[in-house]
Amino acid sequence: MDSLDWKDLSAQEITKRVTSKVQAGSIVLFHNAALHTPEALPTILETLLQEGYTFVPISQLILPGTYNTDYTIDHTGRQMAA
């Protein structure tokens, strides 16, 4: 999910957007040069940790291999083991 931080949303708006839309398995996109992201991140991380989420490297979420051989992607964009 895109945090939309690149639109110069306030830290509060970024936090609300991310914490209300994240779900198990979500990959949240933040941008390095976004103005208010550094301000929003501590609250986002604390909130999600309190809600029981954990954070893992992207390599633990993405299935390795070749598309249509080792995995497919369903209509929602989720990878499924073949």
Side-chain angles (χ1 to χ4, degrees), residues 1 17-28 43-56 61 78:
M1 69 145 305
R17 177 173 172 76
V18 172
T19 58
S20 70
K21 294 184 179 290
V22 76
Q23 55 186 307
S26 288
I27 297 171
V28 182
T43 303
I44 291 169
L45 295 174
E46 289 172 21
T47 300
L48 295 178
L49 284 170
Q50 288 174 359
E51 291 178 4
Y53 288 97
T54 57
F55 305 99
V56 299
L61 295 176
R78 182 171 292 199

Side-chain angles (χ1 to χ4, degrees), residues 29-73:
L29 176 63
F30 294 99
H31 300 80
N32 291 340
L35 187 60
H36 300 289
T37 301
E39 188 182 339
L41 279 174
T43 303
I44 291 169
L45 295 174
E46 289 172 21
T47 300
L48 295 178
L49 284 170
Q50 288 174 359
E51 291 178 4
Y53 288 97
T54 57
F55 305 99
V56 299
I58 193 90
S59 60
Q60 289 185 21
L61 295 176
I62 304 297
L63 296 172
T66 304
Y67 178 69
N68 272 341
T69 301
D70 301 304
Y71 68 88
T72 59
I73 299 175

